Amino acid sequence: MNIRVIIFSGIMAALIGAMLGLAITKISQREQRKPILVVGGATLGFVIGAFQSSIREQKRLRNHEFGESDEFK
């Protein structure tokens, strides 16, 4: 498993989650909830991004071990 890819995917998804939190704050016009939404969005984004990337890496590793490949289908 490539841990750097997993961390990078988590960080990129965290940035997207933070941007969504900022957008929700701007749309709802509730500035006092801004830190909560930004941190919550970033945390949720990191968890989802890292989880998705780890599943992708695990699938790639399993396909490599068993000699299966979906690249040419």
Side-chain angles (χ1 to χ4, degrees):
M1 250 191 203
N2 193 351
I3 195 72
R4 289 187 296 176
V5 171
I6 294 171
I7 300 273
F8 180 74
S9 295
I11 290 172
M12 289 298 115
L15 289 173
I16 293 170
M19 290 298 127
L20 286 173
L22 283 173
I24 291 171
T25 302
K26 186 74 170 176
I27 290 170
S28 67
Q29 297 178 353
R30 298 196 181 197
E31 293 297 321
Q32 63 270 26
R33 293 185 185 172
K34 185 176 183 177
I36 295 169
L37 289 173
V38 171
V39 170
T43 304
L44 187 62
F46 183 83
V47 168
I48 290 173
F51 183 70
Q52 179 185 11
S53 182
S54 65
I55 289 174
R56 188 179 310 129
E57 286 290 315
Q58 186 67 30
K59 184 177 179 184
R60 185 187 60 78
L61 183 65
R62 187 188 67 207
N63 287 342
H64 179 70
E65 284 178 358
F66 293 119
E68 300 171 1
S69 178
D70 293 337
E71 293 177 11
F72 300 108
K73 290 185 180 180

